[in-house]
Amino acid sequence: MTVLLMTPPMTQLNTPYPATAYLTGFLRTRGYEAVQRDPAIELFLEMMTAPALDIIRQHVEANFEHFEDDELPDAIHNFLAEFDRYHLTVESAIRFLQGKDPSLALRINSRRFLPEGPAFDAIAQMEAVSGDVLQAAFGNLGVQDKAKYLATLFINDLSSVITQGVDPYFEVSRYGEQLAAANPSFDNLYDTLMDEPTFSSEILAQLVEHYLEETQPSVVALTVPFPGNMLGALRIAQTCKAINPEIPIIIGGGFINTELRALKDPRVFEFIDFICLDDGERPLITLLEYFQGQREVDDLVRTYFLAEDDNGEPYVHFNENPELHDIPQVEVGAPIYDGLPLSEYLSLCEMLNPMHRIWSDGRWNKLTIAHGCYWRKCSFCDVSLDYIDRYDTAGADILVDRIEQLIEETGQTGFHFVDEALPPKTLFAFAKRLIERNVVISWWGNIRFERTFSQARCQLLADSGCIAVSGGLEVASDRLLKLMKKGVSVERVAQVTKAFSDAGIMVHAYLMYGFPTQTEQETVDSLEMVRQMMQQGCFQSAYWHRFVATIHSPVGMNPEKFGITLSDRPEVLFAENDVDFSDPTDTDHEMLGEGLRKAIYNYMHGIGFDQPMSFWFEQGVARTSMKKDLISKAISNLIDSSEE
């Protein structure tokens, strides 16, 4: 039995999403023929060729034939005006971003090689504020990075052309996301699938047809990690069924696990046959055994399929079967990447945020140190779901074994650990094993800023290859951190992040605003705390997120405990996740959010630390109540205690 695993469009362009690699490795340990393909990267590359641009121009001209020049969107106008240059340079830019033609950097940096559309306006806007930002960011020697940044803007312009002029569902890192995300109805997706195929979906169909002919699978399995993969998954399924109506098609993944837990619409099963929830290994292996006649349908684990009631009417049936336990982490095996075009991924450069740069640049082998979250208490997090609630780790030695196996296979020594939060005890043991076994890697991942990360332990992690960590400071307010059950204080976060930074590890802070009952005063005070921490060198990168209540989090399940009221929701037949709520505090989070983003943008560039908080907001705001030396004293306390 041959299983073909695929990641639908779109995900990251710089590295494969790891789900199919994990499942391929696992299935092969169980004796199955597992093969994998990545139509996401291959679709993008097919659209970024000179012949594809010819077709894109035809679509654009047809769609905008009645528009005057001054009515055209900026990206479309520039594309048509500079088409010959786009046509000439697109394949060269892609080769450069794939690392295949580094000498092209000097031509790109001349600013006369690639056509420059609206995406490049960001440079002029920054220069109006702070001078020559490219010189400041890259200097005279950062030739490759500067060229990556400019080539990334070029790609963003072309992506805008496709979205605005050819296919409204196409984006670089997502595909038709708005059709699926938290949408209680399947109507929008269904109507799109029944409509005429777009240019990108035609290319996707050709790729899938080639994969089926090449691999001759018995089963097709698709991972849907994000809402922006669901349309692509159903397009792939549609193509597979058109070619071979009898082939079983299975889907699972993060979006499915989070948002389709109340699925009722039978039309979904016009395209696919089975939908698996939570960890995929056990449901998938049980389905394969069912296909081979080794199990009954009632044995299926956490699986949706279409059944008939007593009147012969179809309905969505969910089979749970808790008797079959999940596969322990020690048995899932190492990811296997063969079948994925590792040399074809693009290293992009998002200059403005150092952590975004790491996310989008370079080829990272993705691994987990543990399944689930060792803390699993945060009130804004989906702690009721299996991927967070069930904690299981394989141990340091097995992890290092898998790392050596991946280095041998891929030739890459960069690792991104995709845990919800890296467990400190296992993490420290892992770092020691890397050093003891002389395994040289660069790694990064998500942590909790808790007291166990002392200066000595941060240095241990740095010595083992840790280059960056990200973690949640969230609201930078002790009252709200307690309400969130984060288990940290602002002072402790300052001390821990400073310890990481002093060890040479870059720190990114997730920041949040709009949490239930958060006042304007608390928001302004949070910004003041962030200002002090960034000025003191605690972290170098940060991003403000607007709080969203989800139905699987403590806030969504028990809103009264957080002083809010959930809005009425329509009947859910398809996806359910985000939920609107009313907060009697009545803070203007929309206005505050603009100021928070403006401030953090400048702080990351070392600008504006001396400005009063009111400087960043369009309207008058409360004065901060925080002492100006609160963070410096917290850091001093850390240094003093380490010297005792």
Side-chain angles (χ1 to χ4, degrees):
M1 174 173 283
T2 300
V3 182
L4 171 60
L5 299 114
M6 289 183 275
T7 303
M10 298 291 292
T11 53
Q12 286 177 272
L13 296 178
N14 64 305
T15 199
Y17 192 77
T20 63
Y22 260 111
L23 290 171
T24 297
F26 168 72
L27 290 175
R28 290 187 187 176
T29 67
R30 298 301 179 99
Y32 288 95
E33 178 72 22
V35 293
Q36 60 186 327
R37 298 292 184 267
D38 188 354
I41 185 64
E42 296 201 40
L43 169 65
F44 182 83
L45 294 176
E46 287 287 338
M47 297 184 74
M48 292 294 154
T49 63
L53 289 196
D54 286 326
I55 300 173
I56 289 170
R57 181 172 69 166
Q58 293 171 15
H59 282 282
V60 167
E61 289 177 338
N63 291 334
F64 289 93
E65 63 178 333
H66 300 301
F67 284 65
E68 299 294 335
D69 280 356
D70 59 359
E71 297 175 328
L72 293 173
D74 290 345
I76 299 295
H77 183 276
N78 192 74
F79 174 72
L80 294 175
E82 298 277 7
F83 178 78
D84 289 344
R85 291 179 66 199
Y86 279 107
H87 193 271
L88 176 68
T89 59
V90 61
E91 294 177 17
S92 297
I94 293 293
R95 282 199 310 275
F96 171 74
L97 289 171
Q98 290 172 325
K100 297 177 179 179
D101 194 1
S103 63
L104 194 65
L106 292 167
R107 290 199 70 185
I108 293 173
N109 289 345
S110 72
R111 305 286 299 275
R112 298 179 182 277
F113 178 65
L114 299 178
E116 298 189 358
F120 289 78
D121 292 347
I123 298 175
Q125 292 167 4
M126 289 185 291
E127 287 178 342
V129 175
S130 52
D132 190 343
V133 292
L134 296 182
Q135 177 66 24
F138 303 113
N140 293 322
L141 298 179
V143 174
Q144 294 294 318
D145 285 348
K146 180 179 177 181
K148 278 184 186 179
Y149 175 64
L150 295 171
T152 300
L153 296 179
F154 170 83
I155 294 298
N156 290 343
D157 274 331
L158 282 177
S159 175
S160 295
V161 170
I162 296 170
T163 305
Q164 296 175 21
V166 180
D167 183 350
Y169 304 123
F170 179 88
E171 292 183 62
V172 167
S173 60
R174 56 186 64 88
Y175 188 76
E177 180 180 59
Q178 68 272 27
L179 297 175
N183 191 338
S185 170
F186 187 58
D187 289 350
N188 294 342
L189 270 171
Y190 189 80
D191 292 344
T192 301
L193 291 162
M194 293 297 103
D195 208 349
E196 288 295 315
T198 62
F199 174 53
S200 58
S201 62
E202 288 174 344
I203 295 177
L204 181 61
Q206 293 167 10
L207 290 169
V208 172
E209 185 175 358
H210 172 69
Y211 299 150
L212 294 181
E213 183 177 342
E214 178 185 35
T215 63
Q216 295 294 308
S218 315
V219 178
V220 170
L222 306 170
T223 182
V224 185
F226 309 110
N229 300 102
M230 190 63 187
L231 175 59
L234 294 173
R235 286 285 193 201
I236 290 172
Q238 198 175 33
T239 301
C240 290
K241 289 295 187 183
I243 295 171
N244 179 4
E246 302 304 315
I247 193 167
I249 298 176
I250 308 165
I251 64 171
F255 169 70
I256 308 297
N257 302 338
T258 303
E259 301 203 25
L260 297 194
R261 304 192 82 91
L263 178 66
K264 297 182 184 68
D265 196 321
R267 292 178 298 172
V268 177
F269 294 90
E270 293 179 24
F271 307 93
I272 46 91
D273 300 289
F274 300 93
I275 300 176
C276 299
L277 292 185
D278 301 326
D279 261 22
E281 285 87 358
R282 177 60 74 188
L284 182 55
I285 203 80
T286 309
L287 267 169
L288 297 181
E289 291 166 350
Y290 166 69
F291 297 150
Q292 293 173 304
Q294 299 170 7
R295 289 192 179 275
E296 299 298 321
V297 70
D298 290 342
D299 292 330
L300 297 181
V301 177
R302 297 192 304 272
T303 301
Y304 287 109
F305 55 89
L306 201 61
E308 290 186 354
D309 62 20
D310 294 339
N311 298 318
E313 292 297 318
Y315 73 97
V316 178
H317 176 76
F318 182 67
N319 214 73
E320 191 147 8
N321 190 10
E323 299 299 318
L324 288 178
H325 61 76
D326 278 294
I327 309 296
Q329 288 296 292
V330 295
E331 297 179 20
V332 297
I336 290 177
Y337 282 91
D338 72 51
L340 302 179
L342 297 185
S343 64
E344 303 301 301
Y345 293 88
L346 282 65
S347 284
L348 305 176
C349 176
E350 300 288 350
M351 180 189 70
L352 305 183
N353 185 308
M355 184 56 79
H356 289 177
R357 167 69 189 280
I358 293 179
W359 283 328
S360 62
D361 191 8
R363 247 280 295 127
W364 301 100
N365 295 316
K366 293 181 182 282
L367 277 176
T368 51
I369 285 182
H371 179 281
C373 178
Y374 71 97
W375 180 251
R376 55 190 184 281
K377 295 179 183 178
C378 297
S379 58
F380 56 82
C381 190
D382 292 338
V383 295
S384 65
L385 298 184
D386 177 81
Y387 79 95
I388 293 174
D389 187 49
R390 183 171 54 83
Y391 179 69
D392 178 29
T393 182
D397 285 308
I398 291 175
L399 186 62
V400 177
D401 290 342
R402 291 174 180 171
I403 282 172
E404 290 187 317
Q405 182 179 329
L406 280 168
I407 293 172
E408 179 69 24
E409 180 191 359
T410 67
Q412 301 288 334
T413 61
F415 287 82
H416 175 200
F417 295 108
V418 294
D419 301 59
E420 295 300 307
L422 298 172
K425 184 178 178 180
T426 305
L427 193 61
F428 301 141
F430 162 67
K432 291 176 182 176
R433 295 295 190 281
L434 286 174
I435 295 169
E436 290 165 358
R437 292 170 57 170
N438 295 318
V439 178
V440 178
I441 65 171
S442 303
W443 63 268
W444 57 288
N446 200 43
I447 64 161
R448 292 183 62 250
F449 294 131
E450 60 177 68
R451 64 185 308 144
T452 188
F453 290 107
S454 63
Q455 289 178 307
R457 284 172 169 164
C458 289
Q459 190 59 56
L460 168 67
L461 298 182
D463 292 343
S464 74
C466 180
I467 58 170
V469 293
S470 55
L473 170 56
E474 315 305 355
V475 289
S477 158
D478 285 338
R479 179 187 79 85
L480 292 172
L481 286 171
K482 186 176 181 180
L483 184 61
M484 288 179 170
K485 296 187 178 179
K486 281 293 293 184
V488 299
S489 66
V490 173
E491 181 175 293
R492 179 60 62 187
V493 171
Q495 293 169 345
V496 171
T497 53
K498 182 62 173 173
F500 273 109
S501 293
D502 286 350
I505 297 171
M506 191 187 79
V507 181
H508 173 84
Y510 294 107
L511 304 170
M512 183 187 293
Y513 67 101
F515 193 76
T517 70
Q518 184 173 7
T519 65
E520 178 181 292
Q521 182 69 63
E522 286 171 321
T523 304
V524 173
D525 288 347
S526 293
L527 180 58
E528 170 61 17
M529 293 297 91
V530 169
R531 183 194 70 80
Q532 291 185 32
M533 281 189 263
M534 295 197 77
Q535 190 171 33
Q536 292 291 328
C538 294
F539 50 88
Q540 299 73 42
S541 173
Y543 189 81
W544 289 99
H545 301 260
R546 174 75 179 266
F547 168 77
V548 175
T550 62
I551 58 167
H552 306 297
S553 69
V555 172
M557 292 187 292
N558 302 290
E560 67 283 353
K561 292 183 179 180
F562 300 88
I564 61 171
T565 304
L566 300 185
S567 304
D568 291 336
R569 305 198 296 277
E571 181 186 8
V572 176
L573 299 177
F574 183 59
E576 183 182 34
N577 191 36
D578 303 351
V579 55
D580 293 333
F581 63 91
S582 58
D583 185 340
T585 311
D586 201 29
T587 304
D588 188 352
H589 297 300
E590 198 71 35
M591 179 274 294
L592 292 169
E594 289 298 318
L596 295 173
R597 286 186 287 272
K598 190 186 301 181
I600 204 70
Y601 172 89
N602 283 274
Y603 293 162
M604 282 193 295
H605 288 80
I607 302 169
F609 289 120
D610 295 330
Q611 296 289 352
M613 292 296 99
S614 59
F615 176 79
W616 307 111
F617 301 97
E618 295 295 327
Q619 301 175 23
V621 294
R623 293 173 60 88
T624 180
S625 62
M626 295 293 102
K627 294 181 179 179
K628 298 296 183 183
D629 60 353
L630 189 150
I631 297 301
S632 61
K633 283 187 174 180
I635 294 170
S636 178
N637 290 339
L638 171 68
I639 296 171
D640 292 344
S641 64
S642 67
E643 292 173 348
E644 292 175 357

